[in-house]
Amino acid sequence: MQDTMQAAGPHLDIAIEPDRHNLNAALLYEHAIRNGEGLLAVSGPIVVNTGQYTGRSPKDKFITQEQPSADKIAWGSVNQPISEENFERIRSRMMAYLSNKHLYVQDVFVGADPSNRLSVRVFTETAWANLFARNLFIRPSQEELANFVPDFAVVDVPSFTSDPATEGTRSETFILLSLNQKLVLIGGTRYGGEIKKSMFGVMNYVLPQRGVMPMHCSANTGKDGKTALFFGLSGTGKTTLSADPSRTLIGDDEHGWSDNGVFNFEGGCYAKVINLSQKAEPDIWSASHRFGTVLENVTIDPTSRLLDLESTQYTENTRSAYPIEFIANASPTGTGGHPKNVLMLTADAFGVMPPISKLTREQAMYYFLSGYTAKLAGTERGVTEPEPNFSACFGAPFLPLPPMVYAKMLGEKIAEHNSDVWLVNTGWTGGPYGVGHRMSIAYTRAMVSAALDGSLAQVETRPDPVFGVHVPISCLGVPAEVLWPKNTWPDPNAYDEAARNLAKRFQDNFAKFSDQVTPEVRNAGPKA
């Protein structure tokens, strides 16, 4: 017996086979092993290799240029347009290609808040990718599955490729979104993150039009019931700092902020595991060594089936995808109240930004729009010294609407709920990368804890002369000189020059927003 999905668009017609529909982890393991898709590690996870692509392919991501969404999208290098005709060419060829193939199907939710969730039907060519979707998204109850009607569909077929010469793509790899057809098509890449992030992009389009702010952040709640948000780009400590055993984890990557509070978009975590330490991050380590978890591009001995989490044989971007309930202190509801504290994390490799500072509403909007961290030498080809990396709203690759839409919502939310906003530098102190050293995680945790328990908000602050942010004069457990970066540099003049240079980079980057913000926000940034 077969049925077909209609809700994702009248043109999509894919057979659903009951013996491949909504399979649990054990059955998907069996299929994956039988298909030769991966290896079973001795500790329980299934280990897969994604081949050529071990990360996202942002230059191969396109949004269909169609009305009414075309007038709302911020078109450019992030949101690249593809014509309706080319989308249809690829969709039509893909459907013909799939006519004799057997796909795995998983019905899931995106959004823990029932009033702001999307129901999504995920079709995958491989069993492991179906398990990935089952782990990362929210799994409906049996009663919800009995009445499941998809709002959106994701079709992931790595073996199918596009023709750049005739179909408007950059390469044979593509991640295509049609908002009219409510359909995501993925081909030419086996990297699981494309499935997850494609629906994050959809939520970033849909929710602002409902008055809900979508956010690329982690979130947790203290025993006092107060929620905290952690914004930050890769490598800034977003996952590490939010995974506090004394606090309840709401989620580690994608959230919404509605009139009711904060809610997780996901039902799982997608953690980097390169050099993962059992001592430093025991919960993530444990989750990555158990049945039901999918490990991407982790080195495994084919005979002993032991994992080597330190190996970069395939990539530094090794990943672990597991249900959020594998984390002992995870929230069962995926929801929390309105944030009392909002933390913006940056890893400043120039070593000039304060390790923690309090922001005004205008500064919060400025630094949110800037979305600053630094790339380190060697992390990308051609990067030989630290480079500033500005990603609007700490998530530019996933924002289909203009950044000002999200920044304005943040300003309104923190004003309405009287949230304290902090800028936290988890990067370098005592000098730039190569001269100074990484900020002590013990100091960072002490500062974050003081912010979250409310004590730091009561401490006197002084404005940083370059960045304008308000630096506490003291923090329990942190030496006073650490709070002021200039005091940690052996050469104060070298600090001044480095700080001025970074301030100028901020100003140059922010120029594109200058005519979209108030003078108060425009003047809230660093002074070169």
Side-chain angles (χ1 to χ4, degrees), residues 77-89:
S77 59
V78 170
N79 299 309
Q80 303 175 101
I82 190 169
S83 69
E84 292 182 84
E85 293 75 17
N86 280 330
F87 180 90
E88 181 56 28
R89 287 189 185 99

Side-chain angles (χ1 to χ4, degrees), residues 168-336:
T169 57
R170 184 189 69 94
S171 71
E172 293 183 341
T173 297
F174 61 87
I175 304 95
L176 309 182
L177 165 63
S178 169
L179 289 160
N180 280 3
Q181 294 195 36
K182 299 182 179 178
L183 178 60
V184 174
L185 304 178
I186 302 171
T189 173
R190 297 202 298 269
Y191 182 64
E194 300 289 12
I195 298 173
K196 158 190 159 73
K197 286 303 185 186
S198 66
M199 285 311 303
F200 184 44
V202 171
M203 294 291 272
N204 280 321
Y205 175 82
V206 171
L207 291 188
Q209 298 174 73
R210 300 180 181 178
V212 177
M213 182 185 177
M215 303 174 294
H216 186 215
C217 70
S218 57
N220 64 24
T221 304
K223 295 177 181 178
D224 57 5
K226 294 179 181 178
T227 297
L229 304 180
F230 299 79
F231 288 94
L233 300 171
S234 179
T236 58
K238 178 161 55 81
T239 299
T240 298
L241 291 173
S242 63
D244 183 338
S246 68
R247 297 175 64 85
T248 299
L249 179 68
I250 299 173
D252 81 331
D253 197 42
E254 304 171 5
H255 292 83
W257 188 351
S258 71
D259 290 341
N260 298 321
V262 171
F263 62 97
N264 194 359
F265 288 173
E266 302 181 290
C269 300
Y270 193 37
K272 282 187 177 180
V273 291
I274 190 69
N275 296 320
L276 183 67
S277 163
Q278 184 177 14
K279 180 179 180 181
E281 299 186 84
D283 282 348
I284 298 174
W285 194 94
S286 176
S288 301
H289 286 79
R290 61 181 289 182
F291 180 86
T293 291
V294 177
L295 297 180
E296 284 184 318
N297 304 310
V298 170
T299 298
I300 179 173
D301 186 292
T303 302
S304 69
R305 301 298 177 91
L306 294 173
L307 303 174
D308 182 357
L309 296 180
E310 296 180 358
S311 172
T312 58
Q313 178 181 355
Y314 304 112
T315 179
E316 290 189 6
N317 189 37
T318 54
R319 292 278 183 166
S320 176
Y322 50 85
I324 195 169
E325 59 264 27
F326 283 12
I327 300 297
N329 62 326
S331 164
T333 65
T335 61

Side-chain angles (χ1 to χ4, degrees), residues 47 99 108 122 133 137 152 175 216 244 253 338 343 354 433 463-464:
V47 184
S99 61
V108 295
V122 182
F137 296 123
F152 246 86
I175 304 95
H216 186 215
D244 183 338
D253 197 42
H338 295 292
L343 296 94
Y433 173 77
D464 183 279

Side-chain angles (χ1 to χ4, degrees), residues 1-3 15-24 26-28 30-32 34-35 101-106 127 130:
M1 179 181 177
Q2 298 180 344
D3 62 23
I16 300 177
E17 303 172 52
D19 62 349
R20 289 173 179 247
H21 188 198
N22 289 328
L23 301 187
N24 62 26
L27 289 169
L28 289 170
E30 290 181 5
H31 279 258
R34 190 182 305 130
N35 298 342
K101 287 194 173 290
H102 305 282
L103 297 186
Y104 296 91
V105 185
Q106 199 74 214
N130 214 247

Side-chain angles (χ1 to χ4, degrees), residues 328-399:
N329 62 326
S331 164
T333 65
T335 61
H338 295 292
K340 173 56 182 169
N341 288 282
V342 175
L343 296 94
M344 299 180 187
L345 310 178
T346 181
D348 173 32
F350 299 95
V352 296
M353 299 194 74
I356 193 165
S357 52
K358 200 167 186 295
L359 307 183
T360 65
R361 176 179 175 274
E362 291 74 23
Q363 288 172 333
M365 293 179 67
Y366 183 99
Y367 284 98
F368 184 65
L369 280 167
S370 298
Y372 165 71
T373 192
K375 295 179 183 178
L376 297 180
T379 56
E380 291 184 10
R381 183 179 300 172
V383 179
T384 58
E385 60 182 35
E387 291 184 1
N389 180 26
F390 296 98
S391 183
C393 309
F394 297 96
F398 319 117
L399 306 182

